[in-house]
Amino acid sequence: MKKLNGKIAVITGAGSGIGRALAQQLDAAGARLALCDVDSAGLDNTVAGLRQAPLIARVDVANREAVYAFRDSVVNTFGAVDIVINNAGVALSQTVEHTSYDDFEWLMNINFWGVVYGSKAFLPVLKQRPEAVLVNVSSVFGLIAVPTQGAYNAAKFAVRGFTEALRHELEAEGSAVKVVCVHPGGIKTNIARNARAYVGPDGEASAEDIAERFERVAFTTPEKAARTIVRGIRRQRPRVLIGGDAWLIDRIQRWLPVRYWRLFSAIAP
């Protein structure tokens, strides 16, 4: 999909971070946008920086009916969809033993089921186009597991498996829909500041300390992350790694599939 001008692009989690940067860059490329987030004020701030007026909606991606209603609104407004980016996500830092079922379900409902709902709702619409792209955002934590990230790991590994299985299915049936799985490394967003943070990988219990630790290893800006994703859309790459840290993590996991954490914990700042 080399030409983005005039394409209809749907972005979840568009009120901040990577979602906002994606909206700005796709808007600059001439795409027409449908944006959603639970943060209405964040969406308004995103829209303020765009050249074209998008369709916007406050949508909780954990709510299946809300996602399907958003799909219907997008189709009624534009008549078609060419690109869907399931980007919305939240974070949680706690040991598996002490993660409450409520917290586990909260995260899984957004990070995993939100991707499932977005994919299944829009897939029939995407399949009507001569070319289309579905982008699901996983994480480097969909490549490796990290202490206190059990729930987040579970969701992001699930997104990866779900997305890769869907890609194989669509390839087997000769579908024109291309499926992209994105694995960002540390991105300078507010996800850690907005997380449910109870305890960090080295035992710290301060939410501020946990956020600061994340920010020390978040080397990539949302703008750079968005550029990498847009390039992946243009080139229809099945897997997109974002940031040098993501490339390094991917390689080390392949070299040390069981013992990688010993190395990462030794060099972590």
mmCIF file of all heavy atoms in Angstrom, residues 203-234:
data_model
loop_
_atom_site.group_PDB
_atom_site.id
_atom_site.type_symbol
_atom_site.label_atom_id
_atom_site.label_comp_id
_atom_site.label_asym_id
_atom_site.label_seq_id
_atom_site.Cartn_x
_atom_site.Cartn_y
_atom_site.Cartn_z
ATOM 1 N N GLY A 203 11.636 -4.971 42.529
ATOM 2 C CA GLY A 203 11.020 -4.950 43.838
ATOM 3 C C GLY A 203 10.569 -3.597 44.332
ATOM 4 O O GLY A 203 9.959 -3.507 45.398
ATOM 5 N N GLU A 204 10.833 -2.511 43.583
ATOM 6 C CA GLU A 204 10.406 -1.188 44.034
ATOM 7 C C GLU A 204 8.884 -1.125 44.038
ATOM 8 O O GLU A 204 8.218 -1.712 43.188
ATOM 9 C CB GLU A 204 10.992 -0.068 43.172
ATOM 10 C CG GLU A 204 10.457 0.030 41.754
ATOM 11 C CD GLU A 204 11.237 -0.807 40.761
ATOM 12 O OE1 GLU A 204 11.843 -1.812 41.167
ATOM 13 O OE2 GLU A 204 11.224 -0.459 39.569
ATOM 14 N N ALA A 205 8.368 -0.433 45.034
ATOM 15 C CA ALA A 205 6.911 -0.389 45.203
ATOM 16 C C ALA A 205 6.328 0.982 44.917
ATOM 17 O O ALA A 205 5.128 1.186 45.047
ATOM 18 C CB ALA A 205 6.543 -0.817 46.628
ATOM 19 N N SER A 206 7.159 1.943 44.511
ATOM 20 C CA SER A 206 6.692 3.281 44.219
ATOM 21 C C SER A 206 6.301 3.393 42.754
ATOM 22 O O SER A 206 7.099 3.076 41.859
ATOM 23 C CB SER A 206 7.792 4.304 44.535
ATOM 24 O OG SER A 206 7.535 5.548 43.919
ATOM 25 N N ALA A 207 5.075 3.836 42.507
ATOM 26 C CA ALA A 207 4.630 4.017 41.127
ATOM 27 C C ALA A 207 5.516 5.016 40.397
ATOM 28 O O ALA A 207 5.809 4.856 39.211
ATOM 29 C CB ALA A 207 3.177 4.475 41.100
ATOM 30 N N GLU A 208 5.968 6.041 41.107
ATOM 31 C CA GLU A 208 6.856 7.034 40.509
ATOM 32 C C GLU A 208 8.181 6.398 40.111
ATOM 33 O O GLU A 208 8.702 6.645 39.010
ATOM 34 C CB GLU A 208 7.100 8.174 41.496
ATOM 35 C CG GLU A 208 8.012 9.282 40.972
ATOM 36 C CD GLU A 208 7.390 10.083 39.839
ATOM 37 O OE1 GLU A 208 6.153 10.118 39.727
ATOM 38 O OE2 GLU A 208 8.166 10.678 39.061
ATOM 39 N N ASP A 209 8.744 5.557 40.975
ATOM 40 C CA ASP A 209 10.005 4.887 40.666
ATOM 41 C C ASP A 209 9.848 3.943 39.476
ATOM 42 O O ASP A 209 10.733 3.841 38.621
ATOM 43 C CB ASP A 209 10.514 4.103 41.874
ATOM 44 C CG ASP A 209 11.010 5.009 42.989
ATOM 45 O OD1 ASP A 209 11.242 6.210 42.720
ATOM 46 O OD2 ASP A 209 11.163 4.523 44.130
ATOM 47 N N ILE A 210 8.713 3.246 39.431
ATOM 48 C CA ILE A 210 8.462 2.331 38.321
ATOM 49 C C ILE A 210 8.388 3.108 37.005
ATOM 50 O O ILE A 210 8.966 2.706 35.990
ATOM 51 C CB ILE A 210 7.169 1.536 38.566
ATOM 52 C CG1 ILE A 210 7.359 0.591 39.762
ATOM 53 C CG2 ILE A 210 6.762 0.749 37.322
ATOM 54 C CD1 ILE A 210 6.068 -0.035 40.238
ATOM 55 N N ALA A 211 7.685 4.243 37.019
ATOM 56 C CA ALA A 211 7.570 5.069 35.810
ATOM 57 C C ALA A 211 8.921 5.628 35.395
ATOM 58 O O ALA A 211 9.268 5.642 34.211
ATOM 59 C CB ALA A 211 6.581 6.202 36.046
ATOM 60 N N GLU A 212 9.704 6.076 36.371
ATOM 61 C CA GLU A 212 11.023 6.628 36.055
ATOM 62 C C GLU A 212 11.951 5.559 35.494
ATOM 63 O O GLU A 212 12.749 5.827 34.591
ATOM 64 C CB GLU A 212 11.628 7.273 37.296
ATOM 65 C CG GLU A 212 10.929 8.573 37.707
ATOM 66 C CD GLU A 212 11.548 9.196 38.937
ATOM 67 O OE1 GLU A 212 12.479 8.576 39.517
ATOM 68 O OE2 GLU A 212 11.105 10.295 39.323
ATOM 69 N N ARG A 213 11.852 4.337 36.021
ATOM 70 C CA ARG A 213 12.664 3.244 35.504
ATOM 71 C C ARG A 213 12.317 2.995 34.038
ATOM 72 O O ARG A 213 13.200 2.814 33.198
ATOM 73 C CB ARG A 213 12.432 1.979 36.339
ATOM 74 C CG ARG A 213 13.188 0.745 35.840
ATOM 75 C CD ARG A 213 12.758 -0.487 36.620
ATOM 76 N NE ARG A 213 13.364 -1.694 36.094
ATOM 77 C CZ ARG A 213 14.495 -2.217 36.523
ATOM 78 N NH1 ARG A 213 15.161 -1.631 37.507
ATOM 79 N NH2 ARG A 213 14.973 -3.323 35.992
ATOM 80 N N PHE A 214 11.010 2.978 33.741
ATOM 81 C CA PHE A 214 10.584 2.780 32.355
ATOM 82 C C PHE A 214 11.121 3.887 31.462
ATOM 83 O O PHE A 214 11.619 3.628 30.357
ATOM 84 C CB PHE A 214 9.061 2.730 32.269
ATOM 85 C CG PHE A 214 8.538 2.745 30.849
ATOM 86 C CD1 PHE A 214 8.509 1.579 30.097
ATOM 87 C CD2 PHE A 214 8.086 3.927 30.277
ATOM 88 C CE1 PHE A 214 8.042 1.593 28.790
ATOM 89 C CE2 PHE A 214 7.621 3.943 28.972
ATOM 90 C CZ PHE A 214 7.594 2.772 28.227
ATOM 91 N N GLU A 215 11.027 5.131 31.924
ATOM 92 C CA GLU A 215 11.443 6.269 31.101
ATOM 93 C C GLU A 215 12.947 6.250 30.818
ATOM 94 O O GLU A 215 13.392 6.774 29.796
ATOM 95 C CB GLU A 215 11.022 7.565 31.778
ATOM 96 C CG GLU A 215 9.499 7.761 31.738
ATOM 97 C CD GLU A 215 9.007 8.863 32.653
ATOM 98 O OE1 GLU A 215 9.848 9.467 33.364
ATOM 99 O OE2 GLU A 215 7.791 9.109 32.671
ATOM 100 N N ARG A 216 13.734 5.622 31.708
ATOM 101 C CA ARG A 216 15.171 5.537 31.473
ATOM 102 C C ARG A 216 15.505 4.600 30.313
ATOM 103 O O ARG A 216 16.578 4.707 29.725
ATOM 104 C CB ARG A 216 15.892 5.062 32.740
ATOM 105 C CG ARG A 216 15.959 6.106 33.847
ATOM 106 C CD ARG A 216 17.019 5.751 34.878
ATOM 107 N NE ARG A 216 16.757 4.491 35.566
ATOM 108 C CZ ARG A 216 16.045 4.394 36.674
ATOM 109 N NH1 ARG A 216 15.512 5.478 37.217
ATOM 110 N NH2 ARG A 216 15.855 3.216 37.253
ATOM 111 N N VAL A 217 14.609 3.671 30.018
ATOM 112 C CA VAL A 217 14.886 2.723 28.932
ATOM 113 C C VAL A 217 13.969 2.953 27.730
ATOM 114 O O VAL A 217 13.981 2.157 26.782
ATOM 115 C CB VAL A 217 14.758 1.263 29.425
ATOM 116 C CG1 VAL A 217 15.788 0.985 30.499
ATOM 117 C CG2 VAL A 217 13.347 0.970 29.939
ATOM 118 N N ALA A 218 13.176 4.017 27.755
ATOM 119 C CA ALA A 218 12.300 4.351 26.627
ATOM 120 C C ALA A 218 13.056 5.309 25.708
ATOM 121 O O ALA A 218 13.091 6.516 25.939
ATOM 122 C CB ALA A 218 11.004 4.981 27.129
ATOM 123 N N PHE A 219 13.653 4.766 24.680
ATOM 124 C CA PHE A 219 14.545 5.552 23.825
ATOM 125 C C PHE A 219 13.870 6.115 22.573
ATOM 126 O O PHE A 219 14.428 6.987 21.914
ATOM 127 C CB PHE A 219 15.735 4.691 23.383
ATOM 128 C CG PHE A 219 16.547 4.138 24.522
ATOM 129 C CD1 PHE A 219 16.603 2.773 24.737
ATOM 130 C CD2 PHE A 219 17.244 4.968 25.377
ATOM 131 C CE1 PHE A 219 17.351 2.252 25.784
ATOM 132 C CE2 PHE A 219 17.989 4.462 26.424
ATOM 133 C CZ PHE A 219 18.050 3.091 26.632
ATOM 134 N N THR A 220 12.694 5.608 22.230
ATOM 135 C CA THR A 220 12.071 5.947 20.954
ATOM 136 C C THR A 220 10.896 6.884 21.162
ATOM 137 O O THR A 220 10.059 6.661 22.041
ATOM 138 C CB THR A 220 11.591 4.666 20.239
ATOM 139 O OG1 THR A 220 12.699 3.770 20.093
ATOM 140 C CG2 THR A 220 11.026 4.982 18.867
ATOM 141 N N THR A 221 10.810 7.930 20.350
ATOM 142 C CA THR A 221 9.685 8.857 20.443
ATOM 143 C C THR A 221 8.456 8.260 19.761
ATOM 144 O O THR A 221 8.571 7.416 18.863
ATOM 145 C CB THR A 221 10.020 10.190 19.768
ATOM 146 O OG1 THR A 221 10.191 9.964 18.360
ATOM 147 C CG2 THR A 221 11.286 10.805 20.353
ATOM 148 N N PRO A 222 7.265 8.703 20.163
ATOM 149 C CA PRO A 222 6.052 8.238 19.466
ATOM 150 C C PRO A 222 6.084 8.566 17.977
ATOM 151 O O PRO A 222 5.578 7.788 17.160
ATOM 152 C CB PRO A 222 4.934 8.994 20.176
ATOM 153 C CG PRO A 222 5.473 9.305 21.526
ATOM 154 C CD PRO A 222 6.936 9.549 21.316
ATOM 155 N N GLU A 223 6.679 9.696 17.634
ATOM 156 C CA GLU A 223 6.753 10.101 16.222
ATOM 157 C C GLU A 223 7.595 9.117 15.410
ATOM 158 O O GLU A 223 7.222 8.725 14.292
ATOM 159 C CB GLU A 223 7.330 11.506 16.109
ATOM 160 C CG GLU A 223 6.428 12.606 16.637
ATOM 161 C CD GLU A 223 6.334 12.638 18.163
ATOM 162 O OE1 GLU A 223 7.269 12.129 18.838
ATOM 163 O OE2 GLU A 223 5.329 13.165 18.683
ATOM 164 N N LYS A 224 8.726 8.699 15.987
ATOM 165 C CA LYS A 224 9.566 7.726 15.288
ATOM 166 C C LYS A 224 8.858 6.380 15.210
ATOM 167 O O LYS A 224 8.924 5.689 14.182
ATOM 168 C CB LYS A 224 10.908 7.566 15.997
ATOM 169 C CG LYS A 224 11.861 6.626 15.275
ATOM 170 C CD LYS A 224 13.233 6.590 15.924
ATOM 171 C CE LYS A 224 14.162 5.645 15.158
ATOM 172 N NZ LYS A 224 15.519 5.595 15.773
ATOM 173 N N ALA A 225 8.183 5.996 16.297
ATOM 174 C CA ALA A 225 7.431 4.739 16.282
ATOM 175 C C ALA A 225 6.369 4.767 15.189
ATOM 176 O O ALA A 225 6.194 3.786 14.450
ATOM 177 C CB ALA A 225 6.790 4.507 17.647
ATOM 178 N N ALA A 226 5.651 5.879 15.084
ATOM 179 C CA ALA A 226 4.612 5.997 14.067
ATOM 180 C C ALA A 226 5.202 5.923 12.665
ATOM 181 O O ALA A 226 4.624 5.279 11.764
ATOM 182 C CB ALA A 226 3.844 7.299 14.255
ATOM 183 N N ARG A 227 6.330 6.563 12.452
ATOM 184 C CA ARG A 227 6.970 6.498 11.126
ATOM 185 C C ARG A 227 7.316 5.060 10.765
ATOM 186 O O ARG A 227 7.155 4.638 9.614
ATOM 187 C CB ARG A 227 8.230 7.369 11.098
ATOM 188 C CG ARG A 227 7.963 8.855 10.993
ATOM 189 C CD ARG A 227 9.212 9.630 10.588
ATOM 190 N NE ARG A 227 10.283 9.515 11.576
ATOM 191 C CZ ARG A 227 10.426 10.307 12.630
ATOM 192 N NH1 ARG A 227 9.544 11.280 12.838
ATOM 193 N NH2 ARG A 227 11.435 10.155 13.451
ATOM 194 N N THR A 228 7.792 4.310 11.742
ATOM 195 C CA THR A 228 8.149 2.917 11.496
ATOM 196 C C THR A 228 6.911 2.101 11.153
ATOM 197 O O THR A 228 6.940 1.246 10.254
ATOM 198 C CB THR A 228 8.849 2.322 12.724
ATOM 199 O OG1 THR A 228 9.988 3.125 13.066
ATOM 200 C CG2 THR A 228 9.320 0.897 12.453
ATOM 201 N N ILE A 229 5.808 2.345 11.851
ATOM 202 C CA ILE A 229 4.567 1.631 11.559
ATOM 203 C C ILE A 229 4.041 2.006 10.177
ATOM 204 O O ILE A 229 3.620 1.129 9.409
ATOM 205 C CB ILE A 229 3.513 1.911 12.642
ATOM 206 C CG1 ILE A 229 3.962 1.321 13.989
ATOM 207 C CG2 ILE A 229 2.155 1.335 12.240
ATOM 208 C CD1 ILE A 229 3.093 1.732 15.158
ATOM 209 N N VAL A 230 4.049 3.284 9.859
ATOM 210 C CA VAL A 230 3.565 3.723 8.534
ATOM 211 C C VAL A 230 4.419 3.097 7.434
ATOM 212 O O VAL A 230 3.892 2.661 6.397
ATOM 213 C CB VAL A 230 3.557 5.258 8.445
ATOM 214 C CG1 VAL A 230 3.264 5.708 7.014
ATOM 215 C CG2 VAL A 230 2.521 5.845 9.399
ATOM 216 N N ARG A 231 5.723 3.042 7.659
ATOM 217 C CA ARG A 231 6.592 2.383 6.674
ATOM 218 C C ARG A 231 6.225 0.905 6.540
ATOM 219 O O ARG A 231 6.204 0.356 5.438
ATOM 220 C CB ARG A 231 8.053 2.535 7.083
ATOM 221 C CG ARG A 231 9.040 1.961 6.056
ATOM 222 C CD ARG A 231 10.460 2.444 6.295
ATOM 223 N NE ARG A 231 10.968 2.035 7.594
ATOM 224 C CZ ARG A 231 11.249 2.878 8.592
ATOM 225 N NH1 ARG A 231 11.056 4.185 8.432
ATOM 226 N NH2 ARG A 231 11.721 2.430 9.737
ATOM 227 N N GLY A 232 5.914 0.267 7.665
ATOM 228 C CA GLY A 232 5.490 -1.132 7.621
ATOM 229 C C GLY A 232 4.184 -1.308 6.856
ATOM 230 O O GLY A 232 4.000 -2.307 6.152
ATOM 231 N N ILE A 233 3.271 -0.340 7.005
ATOM 232 C CA ILE A 233 2.012 -0.385 6.256
ATOM 233 C C ILE A 233 2.279 -0.250 4.762
ATOM 234 O O ILE A 233 1.737 -0.990 3.940
ATOM 235 C CB ILE A 233 1.062 0.728 6.743
ATOM 236 C CG1 ILE A 233 0.574 0.430 8.169
ATOM 237 C CG2 ILE A 233 -0.126 0.879 5.790
ATOM 238 C CD1 ILE A 233 -0.186 1.564 8.807
ATOM 239 N N ARG A 234 3.119 0.718 4.416
ATOM 240 C CA ARG A 234 3.430 0.936 3.000
ATOM 241 C C ARG A 234 4.062 -0.309 2.377
ATOM 242 O O ARG A 234 3.749 -0.689 1.239
ATOM 243 C CB ARG A 234 4.373 2.127 2.848
ATOM 244 C CG ARG A 234 3.742 3.490 3.129
ATOM 245 C CD ARG A 234 4.756 4.590 2.884
ATOM 246 N NE ARG A 234 4.270 5.921 3.187
ATOM 247 C CZ ARG A 234 3.566 6.680 2.341
ATOM 248 N NH1 ARG A 234 3.262 6.211 1.149
ATOM 249 N NH2 ARG A 234 3.178 7.886 2.697
#
